[in-house]
Amino acid sequence: REQAERLVSNIGGLHIPLKELSLRLDEIPGGKDIVFYCASGKRSAEAARLVKGKLGGKIYSLDGGMKIH
């Protein structure tokens, strides 16, 4: 998620925008279940694909994202 989106809705956790993810993998705790989330679910799905097999633990993407209806 980008910073502006995080200001609108934030469920906590580590904030790493998708464009920075590959450079900041070392900040994500390995061996734990991880849930990625974004506004619509598209970027979080991409993030999950990028880290799959690199961190250990289960990797999830919040389906549908954080859209406010």
Side-chain angles (χ1 to χ4, degrees):
R1 306 187 74 210
E2 296 299 322
Q3 185 62 29
E5 295 169 307
R6 188 169 168 88
L7 294 174
V8 172
S9 59
N10 177 1
I11 60 173
L14 184 60
H15 176 238
I16 302 178
L18 181 60
K19 62 186 174 188
E20 299 174 15
L21 183 60
S22 63
L23 301 173
R24 296 176 60 188
L25 283 178
D26 60 329
E27 296 177 39
I28 302 172
K32 295 187 176 191
D33 294 351
I34 305 290
V35 177
F36 289 96
Y37 70 97
C38 67
S40 69
K42 290 181 181 181
R43 286 171 291 166
S44 61
E46 178 64 19
R49 282 192 290 276
L50 286 171
V51 304
K52 187 175 181 179
K54 295 181 181 179
L55 298 174
K58 294 181 181 177
I59 305 297
Y60 301 95
S61 171
L62 183 62
D63 190 33
M66 298 291 292
K67 288 182 184 175
I68 299 174
H69 300 282

